[in-house]
Amino acid sequence: MLSLRNVKKDYVTGDTVVNALKGVSLDFRDNEFVSILGPSGCGKTTLLNIVGGLDRYTDGDLIINGVSTKLYSDGDWDAYRNHTIGFVFQTYNLIMHQTVLANVELALTLSGVSPKERKERAAAALERVGLGDQINKMPNQLSGGQMQRVAIARAIVNDPDIILADEPTGALDTQTSVQVMDILKEISKDKLIIMVTHNPELAEQYSTRIVRLSDGELISDTMPVTAGELESKGCIEQAVEAEKEEKPHKSRKNAKKKPSMSLFTALSLSLKNLLTKKARTVLVSFAGSIGIIGIALILSLSDGFQMYINKVQEDTLSGYPLTIEAETVDMSAMVSAMMGITSDDKNENKDPNTVYANNMMSKMLTSMMQQQVENNLKDFKKTLIENEDLKEKITAIKYTYDFTPQIYFDKDHPLNATKKCYQVSPSMVGEMVSMSSSMSNFGFAPWTEMLDNRELLESQYDLIGNSKWPESYNEVVIVVDKNEEINDYILYSLGLINPEEMYEMMQNLMAGKPIVEKEHKYTYDEILDISYKLMLQADYYKMSGNGYIPRTDDEILQIIDGTYTYAPGEEMATVIDIDVVGIIKPKEGVSATSVAGTVGYLSSLTERIIDLTNEKPIVTRQFNVPDRDVFSGLPFEADANAQYTLSMVDKYFMSALPDVTDTQASL
Ligand code: ADP
Ligand code: MG
């Protein structure tokens, strides 16, 4: 049983308010075919969207199976939309580049059903609407009536209790309309169908009950649900009780299982859509395309609720942005090369009684290199900056440069467990978590630049404790999850847990001893008290003779400490003090968040690092002799006649170098 209680909906645009619904009370039986009639603009679509959970009422209540939706969390709404409701729209909303079968299957991907079962159920649903022989066609090969039947198949494939249809025959001629209505009638035998229509004849002929709206109000109902029916369902009392309790748990109990998509589904969907990606970021693209698929799904399900789509799109894109890289690789070429690899070479030209290596790796890499394309990012960036039209359409742009901020924990800080100054960038933990570089793509890199759009950030995160948003380049925020937790792996990398503890854990693991979980907790104030030091990568090298050599770890730590004694004439290293000024946590109900790491810094820090680095003598010097490596003094372009060995390079790298301005490196 579904009940609307005095539901009001106001749309506010600028300073005008449209009262689209002015207090509608309606009950729907579990099993009937209701038509909603009324002139254009009277609130029919609004009513349907509210019933379907695509839009929220301003006042009143929607009671689903005796539970007030006032208590619904976003997750409850998602589950309701995905499992209880099927939508059919006037404009079909099919995905044009996917087959009829794939379009119907797509509605099941969020339900966590196996691919085999998905195919079977989609085929059965299509059979039911009389399209069993059309499943492999593309939507544009079908007539309007057939497309609408595909949409109906998609709506029923999940076996929802309720089908909502908004002018399903609005774009069809009379004859085709009748076919579609016959199918809806058939389905209504064991479901609730609520259909908005302009066509009173069809309503009369097919539905069991007609409800008329006018100007946001209910004006007639041919078969209202009686008080007796309501009571027998026990709906009234339950709803009132639920309301009294005012606890969100009550509704959760009733919610069906959350939508889920297996990694494999996501992967195969992604592969279909996004084959062209650079190898290193393939995994990230998969994650990203889940977002895009999500958008496609929502688009196909919830037309008429543009605001919601825009928000989801914005959130999803900020979590999985469109990324344009300096180089791209055609992955499909690589995959096809891999497929062909076992079969090419026949046994010609091979010695008998001999086993040969199949050079799969080198073939794969060769084909990858051949497909590598360089993007002209310099001009692209210029276009982005100059094009005014583009700016309005873009939420935020982040320019990523190929460096990792080198961060150190302040040794005097009370939270510093070891009382030693040590580096806290990901490399420290990277030793132990060997996958760390690829993991960093999944948001395990603690330090990340935030998007340059405060409004967007504020819409996704709440500040907690005595926090503020960073304003200056050397201010950062710590990101906690919605339970106000930070995982221990990150805490090690942030310098908040002594790395010794992790080594100990590893040792216990090796020795087969049990691993003891320790509790770590920090007050907001303690976290806000944290400060870090950042060292420029250029300062990891110092002048020696005519070239540059790397500094030792001890020297670097002394520089951070401020205890290092500079040699006469030695260039001072730059150390930036970084302050934690805020703790942010994702807002309730935000579908995706934009800060992937745990420490968020401003783009002005990146700019500052670039500016400071550009002033470093080592950089100026490299610019002055662009064809020679400033460290080794060797030319960048390999000289075909010269023979370099590893030990030669090593020797020159580690000791005083020949002056790079010499016309010839004295090798
Ligand atoms: P119907 O489907 O009966 O034609 P709607 O439910 O679409 O009517 O719209 C009812 C009223 O609400 C109309 O006046 C319409 O202009 C207004 N309305 C609908 N959606 C919005 C919106 N997103 N923002 C502002 N006004 C809206
Ligand atoms: Mg409408």
Side-chain angles (χ1 to χ4, degrees):
M1 180 75 81
L2 191 74
S3 306
L4 296 160
R5 290 277 169 271
N6 199 20
V7 165
K8 293 181 184 160
K9 175 71 190 181
D10 303 330
Y11 287 108
V12 184
T13 21
D15 41 11
T16 59
V17 179
V18 178
N19 309 114
L21 295 176
K22 298 173 179 168
V24 173
S25 295
L26 256 178
D27 298 288
F28 297 101
R29 297 173 185 87
D30 291 343
N31 191 344
E32 59 178 343
F33 191 154
V34 185
S35 284
I36 299 181
L37 285 174
S40 182
C42 70
K44 302 183 297 294
T45 298
T46 307
L47 182 77
L48 217 56
N49 286 346
I50 285 176
V51 168
L54 296 179
D55 207 347
R56 299 294 141 80
Y57 41 86
T58 317
D59 198 19
D61 199 0
L62 171 68
I63 298 159
I64 299 168
N65 294 329
V67 177
S68 163
T69 53
K70 279 182 187 164
L71 315 172
Y72 264 35
S73 69
D74 280 11
D76 294 334
W77 280 116
D78 284 344
Y80 171 65
R81 267 197 307 270
N82 285 311
H83 298 282
T84 310
I85 303 281
F87 295 94
V88 178
F89 304 99
Q90 180 178 350
T91 50
Y92 328 128
N93 290 321
L94 300 180
I95 297 175
M96 284 302 165
H97 65 268
Q98 301 240 2
T99 63
V100 163
L101 186 68
N103 262 284
V104 178
E105 266 187 66
L106 204 52
L108 284 174
T109 42
L110 279 181
S111 320
V113 178
S114 79
K116 184 165 169 282
E117 191 186 338
R118 250 183 357 234
K119 272 216 163 47
E120 286 165 4
R121 281 172 61 176
L126 283 161
E127 191 70 47
R128 197 163 166 201
V129 298
L131 291 177
D133 50 350
Q134 314 277 337
I135 61 173
N136 291 320
K137 284 197 176 166
M138 295 311 244
N140 61 12
Q141 295 171 302
L142 303 180
S143 69
Q146 287 174 319
M147 285 204 259
Q148 191 58 295
R149 284 192 271 157
V150 176
I152 294 174
R154 184 185 54 197
I156 59 172
V157 70
N158 232 348
D159 196 24
D161 300 331
I162 303 168
I163 303 278
L164 301 177
D166 196 350
E167 305 193 26
T169 60
L172 303 176
D173 59 44
T174 323
Q175 205 194 332
T176 345
S177 297
V178 168
Q179 291 173 359
V180 167
M181 293 303 295
D182 280 335
I183 291 166
L184 286 176
K185 180 86 189 167
E186 222 282 310
I187 294 166
S188 74
K189 282 180 189 151
D190 58 353
K191 293 193 190 308
L192 166 62
I193 296 208
I194 308 177
M195 177 182 78
V196 165
T197 179
H198 264 123
N199 189 328
E201 288 90 52
L202 285 181
E204 289 288 345
Q205 200 182 334
Y206 287 94
S207 45
T208 54
R209 173 181 173 196
I210 297 176
V211 170
R212 280 174 210 271
L213 287 185
S214 173
D215 199 16
E217 282 174 294
L218 186 73
I219 54 166
S220 77
D221 185 345
T222 58
M223 205 171 66
V225 175
T226 61
E229 279 179 87
L230 275 180
E231 213 165 318
S232 72
K233 286 266 171 188
C235 282
I236 307 173
E237 293 82 354
Q238 271 188 40
V240 173
E241 252 172 55
E243 208 166 327
K244 254 191 261 160
E245 233 179 82
E246 281 295 333
K247 270 193 206 142
H249 310 294
K250 180 102 184 177
S251 64
R252 284 232 179 85
K253 248 188 278 164
N254 279 36
K256 297 193 185 173
K257 81 174 188 278
K258 294 234 161 127
S260 64
M261 194 195 257
S262 75
L263 184 63
F264 181 75
T265 308
L267 240 57
S268 59
L269 279 169
S270 313
L271 262 177
K272 264 190 223 152
N273 292 311
L274 291 172
L275 267 176
T276 323
K277 277 282 158 180
K278 188 176 179 182
R280 189 164 58 81
T281 52
V282 164
L283 291 175
V284 185
S285 349
F286 285 153
S289 58
I290 298 171
I292 293 165
I293 297 291
I295 293 169
L297 269 175
I298 289 157
L299 273 174
S300 66
L301 296 179
S302 65
D303 154 280
F305 191 23
Q306 199 59 41
M307 290 283 282
Y308 179 71
I309 294 169
N310 287 350
K311 185 64 193 139
V312 170
Q313 223 164 346
E314 190 175 278
D315 285 346
T316 314
L317 273 176
S318 64
Y320 305 104
L322 298 176
T323 312
I324 296 155
E325 305 232 353
E327 289 167 348
T328 63
V329 159
D330 183 356
M331 285 301 289
S332 56
M334 193 182 93
V335 171
S336 48
M338 253 166 86
M339 308 274 219
I341 271 163
T342 42
S343 56
D344 349 353
D345 286 359
K346 293 280 168 294
N347 286 337
E348 304 144 20
N349 307 329
K350 283 188 178 169
D351 293 337
N353 307 327
T354 315
V355 174
Y356 283 84
N358 177 352
N359 296 329
M360 185 174 95
M361 274 313 270
S362 56
K363 282 180 192 157
M364 215 165 85
L365 291 175
T366 316
S367 77
M368 222 168 94
M369 295 311 288
Q370 281 164 354
Q371 300 298 329
Q372 189 159 334
V373 178
E374 294 235 348
N375 286 323
N376 184 349
L377 285 190
K378 227 176 184 172
D379 281 358
F380 186 65
K381 182 175 175 187
K382 219 168 109 196
T383 313
L384 288 180
I385 291 169
E386 285 168 2
N387 191 327
E388 292 296 326
D389 291 347
L390 214 54
K391 270 185 201 138
E392 286 170 18
K393 301 193 172 80
I394 286 173
T395 309
I397 301 180
K398 183 162 115 182
Y399 300 105
T400 311
Y401 301 91
D402 200 5
F403 72 81
T404 320
Q406 303 298 317
I407 310 293
Y408 293 81
F409 203 77
D410 193 337
K411 71 161 183 166
D412 292 326
H413 197 275
L415 281 183
N416 185 342
T418 53
K419 296 281 173 208
K420 236 178 16 199
C421 183
Y422 57 83
Q423 188 168 16
V424 294
S425 68
S427 61
M428 181 187 83
V429 182
E431 272 172 47
M432 314 205 60
V433 185
S434 59
M435 267 182 70
S436 77
S437 68
S438 47
M439 278 171 89
S440 70
N441 289 335
F442 282 110
F444 283 91
W447 286 69
T448 15
E449 185 182 311
M450 297 188 288
L451 287 179
D452 231 347
N453 183 336
R454 172 76 74 83
E455 212 179 300
L456 178 77
L457 291 173
E458 282 178 7
S459 77
Q460 294 178 341
Y461 293 97
D462 287 324
L463 286 170
I464 57 176
N466 192 15
S467 300
K468 69 177 188 100
W469 287 97
E471 264 150 29
S472 151
Y473 73 92
N474 63 351
E475 294 179 331
V476 297
V477 286
I478 300 272
V479 189
V480 296
D481 67 14
K482 58 179 191 303
N483 303 322
E484 302 193 6
E485 291 177 352
I486 302 174
N487 78 44
D488 52 358
Y489 162 73
I490 299 283
L491 287 171
Y492 289 115
S493 334
L494 291 180
L496 292 181
I497 296 183
N498 189 338
E500 300 287 333
E501 224 176 81
M502 195 160 177
Y503 285 111
E504 196 186 298
M505 214 161 79
M506 289 307 240
Q507 265 160 4
N508 283 349
L509 186 78
M510 302 292 206
K513 287 189 222 158
I515 289 174
V516 193
E517 258 188 52
K518 289 192 185 151
E519 189 187 54
H520 293 282
K521 54 184 182 183
Y522 314 92
T523 64
Y524 293 160
D525 285 343
E526 276 175 329
I527 289 180
L528 291 172
D529 222 23
I530 299 173
S531 59
Y532 292 99
K533 291 190 189 291
L534 183 150
M535 181 150 152
L536 292 192
Q537 255 159 322
D539 288 326
Y540 277 50
Y541 303 92
K542 66 172 177 187
M543 188 73 160
S544 170
N546 289 319
Y548 282 88
I549 56 165
R551 290 183 188 278
T552 65
D553 288 350
D554 276 348
E555 271 175 48
I556 293 169
L557 293 183
Q558 283 170 11
I559 290 173
I560 300 287
D561 275 0
T563 54
Y564 181 74
T565 335
Y566 288 92
E570 186 180 349
E571 182 67 21
M572 285 270 284
T574 310
V575 176
I576 302 175
D577 289 305
I578 308 265
D579 253 340
V580 174
V581 297
I583 308 171
I584 60 174
K585 121 181 188 190
K587 275 195 163 52
E588 188 77 32
V590 167
S591 44
T593 46
S594 58
V595 188
T598 301
V599 182
Y601 57 88
L602 298 178
S603 60
S604 53
L605 178 63
T606 309
E607 280 155 27
R608 181 88 185 154
I609 291 172
I610 292 173
D611 289 346
L612 287 169
T613 302
N614 278 336
E615 286 166 15
K616 290 283 158 188
I618 185 171
V619 176
T620 337
R621 197 162 149 141
Q622 181 67 75
F623 275 126
N624 288 341
V625 275
D627 52 343
R628 291 281 190 92
D629 186 327
V630 77
F631 298 107
S632 62
L634 301 177
F636 281 120
E637 288 289 332
D639 177 347
N641 298 320
Q643 300 251 318
Y644 305 113
T645 64
L646 204 53
S647 63
M648 273 154 79
V649 176
D650 233 19
K651 187 175 124 223
Y652 277 90
F653 190 63
M654 295 311 292
S655 62
L657 297 171
D659 193 318
V660 285
T661 52
D662 280 1
T663 44
Q664 231 186 352
S666 48
L667 285 169

mmCIF file of all heavy atoms in Angstrom, residues 11 13 18 20 39-46, ligand 1:
data_model
loop_
_atom_site.group_PDB
_atom_site.id
_atom_site.type_symbol
_atom_site.label_atom_id
_atom_site.label_comp_id
_atom_site.label_asym_id
_atom_site.label_seq_id
_atom_site.Cartn_x
_atom_site.Cartn_y
_atom_site.Cartn_z
ATOM 1 N N TYR A 11 7.953 24.554 -6.214
ATOM 2 C CA TYR A 11 9.203 24.757 -6.939
ATOM 3 C C TYR A 11 9.598 26.216 -6.799
ATOM 4 O O TYR A 11 8.803 27.099 -7.110
ATOM 5 C CB TYR A 11 9.046 24.445 -8.435
ATOM 6 C CG TYR A 11 8.938 22.979 -8.736
ATOM 7 C CD1 TYR A 11 7.730 22.426 -9.142
ATOM 8 C CD2 TYR A 11 10.051 22.151 -8.638
ATOM 9 C CE1 TYR A 11 7.632 21.077 -9.435
ATOM 10 C CE2 TYR A 11 9.961 20.805 -8.922
ATOM 11 C CZ TYR A 11 8.741 20.268 -9.322
ATOM 12 O OH TYR A 11 8.658 18.945 -9.606
ATOM 13 N N THR A 13 11.887 29.092 -8.116
ATOM 14 C CA THR A 13 12.873 29.533 -9.109
ATOM 15 C C THR A 13 13.024 31.032 -8.950
ATOM 16 O O THR A 13 12.059 31.759 -9.150
ATOM 17 C CB THR A 13 12.411 29.203 -10.550
ATOM 18 O OG1 THR A 13 11.002 29.024 -10.543
ATOM 19 C CG2 THR A 13 13.096 27.981 -11.090
ATOM 20 N N VAL A 18 6.253 28.177 -7.497
ATOM 21 C CA VAL A 18 5.150 27.483 -8.158
ATOM 22 C C VAL A 18 4.644 26.406 -7.210
ATOM 23 O O VAL A 18 5.412 25.550 -6.771
ATOM 24 C CB VAL A 18 5.631 26.821 -9.476
ATOM 25 C CG1 VAL A 18 4.474 26.064 -10.133
ATOM 26 C CG2 VAL A 18 6.207 27.846 -10.427
ATOM 27 N N ALA A 20 3.186 23.384 -7.290
ATOM 28 C CA ALA A 20 2.841 22.344 -8.259
ATOM 29 C C ALA A 20 1.829 21.362 -7.690
ATOM 30 O O ALA A 20 0.948 20.894 -8.387
ATOM 31 C CB ALA A 20 4.096 21.621 -8.716
ATOM 32 N N PRO A 39 -5.098 18.608 -17.213
ATOM 33 C CA PRO A 39 -4.474 19.457 -18.226
ATOM 34 C C PRO A 39 -2.970 19.602 -17.996
ATOM 35 O O PRO A 39 -2.473 19.339 -16.899
ATOM 36 C CB PRO A 39 -5.182 20.800 -18.056
ATOM 37 C CG PRO A 39 -5.753 20.777 -16.690
ATOM 38 C CD PRO A 39 -6.039 19.349 -16.372
ATOM 39 N N SER A 40 -2.308 20.018 -19.031
ATOM 40 C CA SER A 40 -0.865 20.195 -18.959
ATOM 41 C C SER A 40 -0.501 21.182 -17.841
ATOM 42 O O SER A 40 -1.163 22.197 -17.665
ATOM 43 C CB SER A 40 -0.383 20.706 -20.313
ATOM 44 O OG SER A 40 0.995 20.840 -20.289
ATOM 45 N N GLY A 41 0.516 20.863 -17.069
ATOM 46 C CA GLY A 41 0.975 21.768 -16.014
ATOM 47 C C GLY A 41 0.226 21.646 -14.707
ATOM 48 O O GLY A 41 0.462 22.410 -13.772
ATOM 49 N N CYS A 42 -0.697 20.647 -14.608
ATOM 50 C CA CYS A 42 -1.491 20.558 -13.385
ATOM 51 C C CYS A 42 -0.766 19.797 -12.282
ATOM 52 O O CYS A 42 -1.255 19.686 -11.169
ATOM 53 C CB CYS A 42 -2.843 19.925 -13.673
ATOM 54 S SG CYS A 42 -2.714 18.184 -14.059
ATOM 55 N N GLY A 43 0.404 19.237 -12.589
ATOM 56 C CA GLY A 43 1.168 18.573 -11.534
ATOM 57 C C GLY A 43 1.247 17.056 -11.646
ATOM 58 O O GLY A 43 1.688 16.391 -10.713
ATOM 59 N N LYS A 44 0.862 16.517 -12.791
ATOM 60 C CA LYS A 44 0.840 15.056 -12.936
ATOM 61 C C LYS A 44 2.243 14.458 -12.826
ATOM 62 O O LYS A 44 2.472 13.511 -12.078
ATOM 63 C CB LYS A 44 0.214 14.673 -14.304
ATOM 64 C CG LYS A 44 -1.204 15.208 -14.520
ATOM 65 C CD LYS A 44 -1.778 14.741 -15.829
ATOM 66 C CE LYS A 44 -1.028 15.230 -17.068
ATOM 67 N NZ LYS A 44 -1.085 16.677 -17.293
ATOM 68 N N THR A 45 3.163 15.035 -13.611
ATOM 69 C CA THR A 45 4.539 14.509 -13.590
ATOM 70 C C THR A 45 5.156 14.674 -12.206
ATOM 71 O O THR A 45 5.813 13.773 -11.688
ATOM 72 C CB THR A 45 5.383 15.233 -14.653
ATOM 73 O OG1 THR A 45 4.804 14.961 -15.926
ATOM 74 C CG2 THR A 45 6.817 14.766 -14.641
ATOM 75 N N THR A 46 4.881 15.818 -11.596
ATOM 76 C CA THR A 46 5.390 16.066 -10.248
ATOM 77 C C THR A 46 4.915 14.978 -9.294
ATOM 78 O O THR A 46 5.702 14.417 -8.526
ATOM 79 C CB THR A 46 4.904 17.444 -9.759
ATOM 80 O OG1 THR A 46 5.249 18.412 -10.741
ATOM 81 C CG2 THR A 46 5.530 17.811 -8.445
HETATM 82 P P1 ADP B 1 2.149 18.086 -15.810
HETATM 83 O O1 ADP B 1 2.984 16.881 -15.801
HETATM 84 O O2 ADP B 1 0.787 17.894 -15.252
HETATM 85 O O3 ADP B 1 2.110 18.731 -17.144
HETATM 86 P P2 ADP B 1 4.156 19.127 -14.033
HETATM 87 O O4 ADP B 1 4.020 18.266 -12.848
HETATM 88 O O5 ADP B 1 5.263 18.850 -14.943
HETATM 89 O O6 ADP B 1 2.787 19.156 -14.816
HETATM 90 O O7 ADP B 1 4.293 20.626 -13.539
HETATM 91 C C1 ADP B 1 3.429 21.245 -12.586
HETATM 92 C C2 ADP B 1 3.846 22.688 -12.387
HETATM 93 O O8 ADP B 1 5.096 22.735 -11.760
HETATM 94 C C3 ADP B 1 3.993 23.471 -13.677
HETATM 95 O O9 ADP B 1 3.539 24.788 -13.450
HETATM 96 C C4 ADP B 1 5.456 23.471 -13.936
HETATM 97 O O10 ADP B 1 5.835 24.639 -14.633
HETATM 98 C C5 ADP B 1 6.017 23.450 -12.547
HETATM 99 N N1 ADP B 1 7.289 22.739 -12.501
HETATM 100 C C6 ADP B 1 7.505 21.440 -12.775
HETATM 101 N N2 ADP B 1 8.790 21.093 -12.600
HETATM 102 C C7 ADP B 1 9.421 22.232 -12.205
HETATM 103 C C8 ADP B 1 10.774 22.546 -11.855
HETATM 104 N N3 ADP B 1 11.750 21.620 -11.852
HETATM 105 N N4 ADP B 1 11.053 23.810 -11.498
HETATM 106 C C9 ADP B 1 10.101 24.754 -11.465
HETATM 107 N N5 ADP B 1 8.818 24.526 -11.774
HETATM 108 C C10 ADP B 1 8.453 23.283 -12.137
#
